[in-house]
Amino acid sequence: MLRPPSLLKAWAANQAGALPDAELLALQDAAVTAAIAAQEALGFRCVVDGEFRRDVWWSEFITPAAIDGIAIDQSDPSTWFDKDRSAGDLPTYVPKRIRVEGKLARAHSIMGHAFEVMKSASSVLPKVTIPTPARFHFQYGYTAIEPDAYDNLEAFWDDVVAIYRAEIAALEAAGCRMIQIDDPVMSYFVDPKLQHGVRDMGAEPRDLLATYVRAINAAVAERKPETTIGFHICRGNARGSWIASGGYERIAEDVFPHLDVDTYFLEYDDERSGDFAPLALIPEGKNVALGLITTKRPEMEDVDMLKRRVDEAAKYVPMEHLGISPQCGFASVLEGNPITTDVQQQKLDLVVRVARGLWGSA
């Protein structure tokens, strides 16, 4: 969600050394509590914390403070992000870069405090979002692993999986029952142009995709039966810009029947996502949240159009296993997409209204 201006100011003051970490944390807790109340007031029965503790979508989880062996630095201005011209003329997005420079290990709880705040502020189901295991390995077309860190990829993946299993177990022990894995890496495999970056790493795209599917499955393999795992395939979402174009048909056969998740969150807000036909490969009993409402542009979607698109998707996935959502977050990076908080509120309200019109209030 878009960060409140007061929180952006507090973040800047903290980075400048003018605001202690404890004071920033208290302000974040208050902002999260307010955001959850706003979501519940709209009618959401599953709420998020808005990722208010992050300056980029993965930074709360993949951090040197919680994971040994990690370093963060600034990369060059990304040539991967294409400007969505209708979203405004914002500066080129410069992503942060994760480096694996030593043996990976979970030093302590990563999301524990964040979840406890969500749980105490919620009267409905709180959802925790975490980055894909692939983010430890893949950085905009090249590996994130320093040569001296691991000479054995099997050992690397074992350590990554151990981090996820320990954190998921800790979240479950605290009462968490909904965890969503956000994965923009997988979108590189739907776009033929981006596959060149994969090959520049010295990898065959289909083989690397299979590696990532196995890593995700291993990471969630020990979850409790009552824990729901969501999986969001993101096509890039920074300041209104994007990365990937291409339909899901390029990955559907290798991903949809094999990934051990319960709900897919798939972007379908414009023509870059292709048609719904690949959904035919979603296994029986699994859910699909259709990301039909864009967070990149302020224009409001037409209700009848949204309902028609859900009906089209229902040709491939039963209606009772479909849902509707925004295509991605409103602020995958600190600055957010070029929309206002009023527009954000209207789009979230639209999600609830359309959902109730299609599936009722239950």
Side-chain angles (χ1 to χ4, degrees), residues 114-170:
F115 177 72
E116 290 295 343
V117 171
M118 292 180 69
K119 184 171 68 170
S120 66
S122 308
S123 61
V124 294
L125 179 69
K127 177 174 73 172
V128 170
T129 59
I130 61 176
T132 175
R135 180 49 82 207
F136 283 86
H137 180 259
F138 188 91
Q139 287 287 299
Y140 305 106
Y142 56 90
T143 180
I145 306 173
E146 295 295 319
D148 295 338
Y150 284 92
D151 57 9
N152 184 323
L153 272 182
E154 185 175 346
F156 164 80
W157 286 117
D158 285 347
D159 289 348
V160 170
V161 166
I163 291 168
Y164 279 80
R165 287 184 176 180
E167 185 64 18
I168 290 171

Side-chain angles (χ1 to χ4, degrees), residues 279-303:
L279 299 183
L281 290 172
I282 298 287
E284 183 178 354
K286 294 195 176 185
N287 306 308
V288 178
L290 302 168
L292 298 174
I293 297 172
T294 191
T295 64
K296 296 180 181 299
R297 300 179 301 276
E299 294 81 14
M300 297 298 296
E301 289 79 1
D302 177 75
V303 171

Side-chain angles (χ1 to χ4, degrees), residues 80 82 188 190-200 243 245:
W80 295 101
D82 285 321
Y188 281 71
V190 307
D191 191 321
K193 293 181 180 178
L194 297 183
Q195 289 184 6
H196 292 304
V198 174
R199 293 189 174 95
D200 287 344
I243 293 179
S245 292

Side-chain angles (χ1 to χ4, degrees), residues 191-213:
D191 191 321
K193 293 181 180 178
L194 297 183
Q195 289 184 6
H196 292 304
V198 174
R199 293 189 174 95
D200 287 344
M201 294 170 57
E204 174 56 37
R206 194 170 185 183
D207 293 341
L208 186 59
L209 179 59
T211 296
Y212 291 159
V213 169

Side-chain angles (χ1 to χ4, degrees), residues 171-362:
L171 285 168
E172 289 178 325
C176 182
R177 292 296 176 263
M178 178 66 180
I179 299 171
Q180 178 176 308
I181 297 171
D182 292 329
D183 193 325
V185 174
M186 204 163 280
S187 68
Y188 281 71
F189 302 94
V190 307
D191 191 321
K193 293 181 180 178
L194 297 183
Q195 289 184 6
H196 292 304
V198 174
R199 293 189 174 95
D200 287 344
M201 294 170 57
E204 174 56 37
R206 194 170 185 183
D207 293 341
L208 186 59
L209 179 59
T211 296
Y212 291 159
V213 169
R214 287 194 297 270
I216 294 162
N217 287 347
V220 303
E222 296 181 355
R223 70 184 185 275
K224 294 179 180 296
E226 60 268 29
T227 298
T228 295
I229 299 292
F231 189 78
H232 171 219
I233 300 177
C234 174
R235 292 166 176 269
N237 186 53
R239 300 178 184 171
S241 58
W242 48 271
I243 293 179
S245 292
Y248 294 102
E249 66 273 5
R250 293 188 176 91
I251 64 170
E253 184 179 346
D254 294 324
V255 175
F256 291 163
H258 304 293
L259 203 58
D260 184 18
V261 300
D262 304 295
T263 299
Y264 284 95
F265 291 82
L266 301 179
E267 299 193 358
Y268 272 112
D269 62 322
D270 60 29
E271 66 281 353
R272 289 184 299 111
S273 301
D275 60 29
F276 295 124
L279 299 183
L281 290 172
I282 298 287
E284 183 178 354
K286 294 195 176 185
N287 306 308
V288 178
L290 302 168
L292 298 174
I293 297 172
T294 191
T295 64
K296 296 180 181 299
R297 300 179 301 276
E299 294 81 14
M300 297 298 296
E301 289 79 1
D302 177 75
V303 171
D304 290 337
M305 178 275 291
L306 293 172
K307 290 181 177 180
R308 285 196 302 270
R309 296 207 70 197
V310 173
D311 286 340
E312 291 171 13
K315 297 174 184 176
Y316 305 99
V317 176
M319 194 69 174
E320 63 268 25
H321 288 288
L322 287 175
I324 188 170
S325 73
Q327 114 280 346
C328 193
F330 294 93
S332 296
V333 299
L334 193 65
E335 299 86 351
N337 286 344
I339 62 170
T340 65
T341 53
D342 286 343
V343 168
Q344 174 180 263
Q345 182 83 353
Q346 292 167 24
K347 285 183 177 273
L348 290 174
D349 179 65
L350 181 61
V351 171
V352 175
R353 287 191 290 114
V354 173
R356 285 175 171 169
L358 288 169
W359 294 281
S361 59

Side-chain angles (χ1 to χ4, degrees), residues 1 4 28-53 113-128 344-345 348:
M1 297 175 70
Q28 290 170 337
D29 290 351
V32 167
T33 299
I36 287 174
Q39 291 168 72
E40 291 193 19
L42 286 170
F44 282 93
R45 295 182 293 110
C46 180
V47 295
V48 295
D49 68 358
E51 298 187 356
F52 284 172
R53 307 178 194 280
H113 174 79
F115 177 72
E116 290 295 343
V117 171
M118 292 180 69
K119 184 171 68 170
S120 66
S122 308
S123 61
V124 294
L125 179 69
K127 177 174 73 172
V128 170
Q344 174 180 263
Q345 182 83 353
L348 290 174

